[in-house]
Amino acid sequence: MPCRIDAAAPDRTPSAASPLPEPLAWIDGEIDALRAAGLERPARVRAGRQAGEVSLDGRTLLNFGANNYLGYAGDVRLTKAASKGSCAEGFGAGASPLVSGHSLAHQQLERVIAALLDVEAALVFPSGFAANTATIAALVGPDDFIASDERNHASIIDGCRLSRARVGIYPHRDLAALEALLAGAGTARRRLIVSDTLFSMDGTIAPLAGLSDLARKHAAMLLVDEAHATGVFGQRGSGLVEETATADGVHVRVGTLSKALGASGGFVAGNAKLIHWLRHTARAWIFSTAHPPGVAAAATRAIGLLAEEPDRRRDLLARAADFRITLQRRGLDSGDAESQIVPVLVGAPQAAVALADHLAEEGFFVPAIRPPSVPHGRSLVRVSLSWLHEPHDLHRLAEALARHAT
Ligand SMILES: Cc1ncc(COP(=O)(O)O)c(C=O)c1O
């Protein structure tokens, strides 16, 4: 039957009497529930450079809320390197690395990362998150088994899910439980152990020698994420694998350029075969635009600074050790923290928010960390130390924490 254009179209305007449900209306209820549980998240706006102080929503606070461990995020030397790199190669990468986005600046960055880690090759991703998800899914699939520490970062968790491998979660740093999981992996085609080296919310360190022993014993691959250790640990500043001399037993090293290195982007490093495989299979590398060449140039400059300024990481770790002892003496609970990340555990999300608010009133930005970033019952405020902090800043913060958290 021919279509009649003169027929009156049915009236689809919702009447006031029976409004159509708004498809996103369910979100209101979910947000109300988050608010009631103390889990609603603020959207803060920062003005100016990230440094020892930070201006958030118009308030200037001492900044204990960034992963700017060495103070390079606001360093003008990185800005200059980025600007020079952008002038040479343009600001946008314009395409994925596989097509035409892989610039000379990216090639140079991959070379300096490989040299820093003393491995054959490296591959740069738009973010550390992308590096983890893409790499895990490129190494294992539905016929395989992954053993993952219960406190691993969200990007590792999502990589495990994306891979569709069977996943066994072991209690935090529990090698006996990990061994039992590996022994029960049955007929899995491949086995992969995944772990942060420095856990981002706890400040704890993975038992790397034990992990690599178990990987060897059970013919498993070992992937470690050095996101918070890169630039901070190790003689050259390459991370905890270097610090613990476990490179021979670690097959895949993921890191980020966005924390101590003050730039942006992630990387995977290892032998040439691994990197060659990832170039064919890591979907976030193949199907996402390369990060800007100027950013790659800034990251290269930051890696150069690791060699020029080794005192920064030494000072940072020494001050962090003193700070942890001070908190302990004052009866504060930092769990098993052993790094520049120092949590103060309070339990309930509302208590973490209240403590963060008190600290802000005294001039300190120390973020409240709540589920899903930490398990229920383990809400905390997370103190991220930076080389930019003076010892008297740390002393004042310890005093304020002792006043409000105990
Ligand atoms: C352990 C860990 N891995 C990976 C990432 C992701 O890195 P990026 O911020 O470069 O995406 C983070 C970021 O918070 C992290 O804490």
Side-chain angles (χ1 to χ4, degrees):
M1 196 172 90
C3 173
R4 287 186 48 200
I5 54 170
D6 55 344
D11 184 3
R12 296 199 189 278
T13 317
S15 76
S18 59
L20 285 175
E22 199 265 291
L24 298 180
W26 60 271
I27 292 178
D28 296 332
E30 296 290 332
I31 297 284
D32 287 346
L34 285 177
R35 193 172 301 128
L39 296 176
E40 197 183 18
R41 311 248 177 174
R44 300 189 183 91
V45 179
R46 196 190 83 231
R49 279 172 196 270
Q50 189 94 246
E53 287 188 337
V54 68
S55 167
L56 283 178
D57 293 340
R59 207 154 46 144
T60 300
L61 302 169
L62 264 176
N63 187 7
F64 291 96
N67 304 310
N68 185 18
Y69 304 125
L70 298 178
Y72 292 142
D75 193 309
V76 74
R77 293 171 294 184
L78 267 62
T79 317
K80 282 185 182 160
S83 153
K84 206 169 150 199
S86 302
C87 290
E89 310 210 39
F91 185 72
S96 71
L98 197 60
V99 179
S100 61
H102 188 68
S103 67
L104 286 170
H106 293 100
Q107 183 188 50
Q108 169 71 359
L109 174 59
E110 288 176 352
R111 285 181 180 158
V112 299
I113 292 170
L116 174 70
L117 273 66
D118 194 21
V119 292
E120 287 175 359
L123 198 63
V124 167
F125 286 75
S127 70
F129 200 105
N132 268 330
T133 52
T135 302
I136 294 170
L139 294 175
V140 284
D143 298 331
D144 303 324
F145 179 74
I146 304 176
S148 177
D149 187 294
E150 66 177 353
R151 304 261 173 91
N152 276 340
H153 186 254
S155 53
I156 292 185
I157 296 170
D158 286 6
C160 293
R161 290 177 180 156
L162 200 58
S163 75
R164 292 179 293 139
R166 188 158 71 83
V167 182
I169 310 288
Y170 58 92
H172 188 42
R173 304 191 293 170
D174 185 336
L175 290 173
L178 169 59
E179 168 127 56
L181 276 181
L182 291 168
T187 55
R189 181 185 58 160
R190 297 179 203 144
R191 290 144 212 252
L192 173 68
I193 302 170
V194 286
S195 179
D196 288 7
T197 60
L198 173 52
F199 288 84
S200 56
M201 297 300 143
D202 303 85
T204 46
I205 291 175
L208 287 174
L211 294 179
S212 75
D213 285 349
L214 287 179
R216 197 171 297 117
K217 186 166 165 197
H218 292 272
M221 299 174 279
L222 175 56
L223 178 154
V224 299
D225 177 2
E226 294 258 48
H228 293 270
T230 305
V232 177
F233 285 89
Q235 186 75 19
R236 295 188 305 277
S238 78
L240 278 158
V241 170
E242 183 196 351
E243 175 94 20
T244 55
T246 46
D248 285 350
V250 177
H251 312 103
V252 188
R253 287 154 79 177
V254 178
T256 175
L257 307 163
S258 65
K259 303 194 191 298
L261 293 174
S264 190
F267 63 83
V268 179
N271 69 22
K273 180 169 59 184
L274 167 74
I275 300 305
H276 191 56
W277 173 246
L278 292 179
R279 285 201 187 98
H280 293 82
T281 51
R283 290 168 67 83
W285 189 81
I286 298 170
F287 296 109
S288 184
T289 301
H291 76 334
V295 176
T300 299
R301 182 72 188 102
I303 291 173
L305 291 174
L306 289 184
E308 291 168 34
E309 301 178 335
D311 287 353
R312 288 206 181 196
R313 54 184 173 275
R314 286 186 210 131
D315 291 352
L316 171 68
L317 289 175
R319 286 179 209 163
D322 289 346
F323 182 67
R324 293 194 307 271
I325 291 169
T326 309
L327 294 194
Q328 200 182 17
R329 286 201 185 123
R330 295 191 168 273
L332 294 158
D333 182 3
S334 292
D336 295 325
E338 46 191 329
S339 68
Q340 79 282 11
I341 300 170
V342 188
V344 176
L345 299 159
V346 293
Q350 292 87 347
V353 173
L355 178 55
D357 287 347
H358 284 307
L359 294 171
E361 279 156 23
E362 298 217 14
F364 304 102
F365 174 54
V366 186
I369 308 290
R370 297 161 284 164
S373 306
V374 287
H376 285 278
R378 277 187 63 87
S379 288
L380 50 93
V381 295
R382 177 179 183 265
V383 181
S384 300
L385 300 185
S386 168
W387 176 82
L388 295 168
H389 299 131
E390 299 290 340
H392 72 265
D393 296 334
L394 303 184
H395 181 72
R396 287 200 306 116
L397 175 60
E399 297 283 312
L401 279 164
R403 260 196 309 282
H404 296 294
T406 49

